[in-house]
Amino acid sequence: MDSRILVKTEKLRKYYVVRSKILKRVIGYVKAVDGVDLEVKEGETLALVGESGSGKSTLGLVLAKLLKPTDGRYIFKGLDITWSLPKELRSKIRIVFQDPYSALNPRLKVRESVIEPLIVQGYSGKEAVEKAIEYLKLVGLNEEHLKVYPHMLSGGQRQRVVIARALITEPDFIVLDEPTSMLDVSTQAQILQLLKEIKIKRNLTYLFITHNLAVARFIADTIAVMFAGQIVEIGEKNNVFSKPLHPYTNSLISAYPPPDPEAIWKPEIPEESSIENTTNINGCRYADRCPYAKNICRREEPPLIEVIKGHKVKCHLYNLI
Ligand code: SF4
């Protein structure tokens, strides 16, 4: 394995059982994540984009070790951590959620919330507070913020506290699940800039989950497009935006305005959930919405193939060339 690859998944799956209402018999599965092969290099930001219900957040939870997969492999720093995470790696993977309001316990002062992961690791109270001050400063806050409750902070300040708490255990890999989507536009821009700067300073690796293509374009090195539990396209950011290969990526980007990396704009992404009971889907998951669908598309699932170096797509249009 390339030594620069920090995170690797092989055929990773997360299925949810669907049961009948009365007899509770298994009647199918929701394939929230269905055979995902992914590699994230050290220091890279991989943005996972797609519509609501595409499985992005479920994949994020599996990679953050908060959900067990159904099948497949998850390799982190060369170790297979699919079914268990060695104690020494527990602090090395962290997640930041979308909602800073619910991520912090309203009854605890910032001090308690931020030092909690360190106390679990056996730090003394004094050492933990010193480190908390260091990390609050890193995210643009100061010592005074230790003394306040979350409701006394703005949304942006709360998300900074959440980021400080994620960073304080010195992780290598952070899953950021729509971390700016509940913030106002100017605060979003500040938090995104902060995340970029911290990543460089601390040599972090991010999986950045977003439905917002402008945010993905601003923050990412690599874009992975997810549809119905599968990665349908992955490649270097500029290649994906300038030459999208998959018809679904094309439809997302065609709703996207002229590039302005600083713009925080929300595209019209369809709300339709594509992963309702997916037990019996054969062939391409996008076939019912695809203007280029052929017979083979409904019969056979296309493989994810490399069309240009580093730029892969899961579509029969390229398989048939
Ligand atoms: Fe469309 Fe067929 Fe490609 Fe699926 S495999 S995206 S249906 S052309």
Side-chain angles (χ1 to χ4, degrees):
M1 190 169 99
D2 182 341
S3 61
R4 287 190 57 226
I5 293 171
L6 186 75
V7 171
K8 181 177 166 79
T9 68
E10 292 171 0
K11 304 273 171 274
L12 199 67
R13 294 189 166 84
K14 178 65 189 174
Y15 292 0
Y16 295 101
V17 172
V18 182
R19 293 181 186 277
S20 61
K21 281 200 176 131
I22 299 170
L23 296 175
K24 303 289 175 205
R25 278 197 326 232
V26 176
I27 54 170
Y29 297 92
V30 171
K31 298 178 178 179
V33 175
D34 193 15
V36 166
D37 294 327
L38 206 60
E39 288 180 350
V40 191
K41 295 192 184 81
E42 264 180 44
E44 182 181 21
T45 297
L46 186 141
L48 194 56
V49 305
E51 66 197 38
S52 173
S54 59
K56 316 183 290 294
S57 291
T58 304
L59 179 57
L61 289 170
V62 172
L63 295 185
K65 295 299 292 173
L66 296 178
L67 260 187
K68 277 212 184 323
T70 306
D71 196 9
R73 288 181 85 207
Y74 177 9
I75 316 289
F76 179 69
K77 295 183 126 187
L79 284 174
D80 188 333
I81 60 163
T82 315
W83 307 113
S84 64
L85 186 62
K87 201 173 168 201
E88 67 274 15
L89 290 182
R90 282 187 198 153
S91 60
K92 296 299 170 191
I93 302 176
R94 282 284 179 258
I95 186 164
V96 172
F97 290 108
Q98 176 179 25
D99 183 5
Y101 299 87
S102 59
L104 296 169
N105 185 332
R107 285 186 290 252
L108 295 183
K109 286 185 178 168
V110 166
R111 178 183 184 279
E112 277 74 46
S113 291
V114 176
I115 68 172
E116 191 183 14
L118 295 181
I119 299 299
V120 171
Q121 285 186 359
Y123 277 68
S124 72
K126 185 168 176 283
E127 287 169 327
V129 169
E130 279 169 11
K131 215 165 171 197
I133 294 169
E134 178 194 338
Y135 278 84
L136 284 183
K137 286 182 180 162
L138 181 69
V139 299
L141 299 174
N142 60 52
E143 194 171 340
E144 291 304 305
H145 291 104
L146 285 176
K147 301 170 193 159
V148 303
Y149 288 94
H151 73 269
M152 298 159 79
L153 298 170
S154 68
Q157 287 173 325
R158 268 177 235 171
Q159 197 59 301
R160 286 173 193 263
V161 170
V162 172
I163 293 167
R165 190 176 59 179
L167 291 171
I168 204 162
T169 60
E170 298 176 7
D172 296 316
F173 177 50
I174 305 186
V175 175
L176 298 140
D177 188 358
E178 305 262 14
T180 58
S181 61
M182 293 189 71
L183 305 173
D184 64 68
V185 171
S186 69
T187 311
Q188 278 189 38
Q190 289 166 16
I191 297 288
L192 288 171
Q193 188 59 38
L194 176 74
L195 287 167
K196 260 192 159 182
E197 287 167 11
I198 291 175
K199 189 195 88 157
I200 293 164
K201 271 189 206 158
R202 303 275 158 156
N203 191 31
L204 294 168
T205 304
Y206 291 157
L207 177 83
F208 196 104
I209 298 169
T210 181
H211 65 280
N212 187 322
L213 294 189
V215 167
R217 187 164 197 156
F218 177 74
I219 197 95
D221 303 304
T222 304
I223 305 275
V225 182
M226 200 159 177
F227 182 81
Q230 300 182 326
I231 303 289
V232 296
E233 180 161 357
I234 184 165
E236 195 272 322
K237 167 176 69 178
N238 292 328
N239 289 341
V240 172
F241 275 94
S242 62
K243 294 187 200 97
L245 300 175
H246 197 279
Y248 175 59
T249 315
N250 235 317
S251 77
L252 290 181
I253 290 177
S254 62
Y256 173 72
D260 172 4
E262 302 301 325
I264 308 297
W265 175 83
K266 293 193 175 183
E268 292 293 321
I269 291 180
E271 280 299 312
E272 173 188 346
S273 168
S274 323
I275 62 158
E276 284 169 29
N277 193 341
T278 45
T279 305
N280 298 317
I281 291 178
N282 292 318
C284 173
R285 300 272 173 90
Y286 192 60
D288 287 344
R289 287 162 61 179
C290 180
Y292 310 104
K294 303 176 190 312
N295 289 339
I296 188 177
C297 301
R298 292 194 169 78
R299 269 196 333 264
E300 287 177 27
E301 185 178 323
L304 186 70
I305 54 166
E306 191 168 47
V307 175
I308 308 160
K309 193 167 179 347
H311 194 168
K312 297 180 183 174
V313 66
K314 191 175 175 65
C315 174
H316 282 305
L317 289 178
Y318 301 88
N319 213 11
L320 296 173
I321 290 170

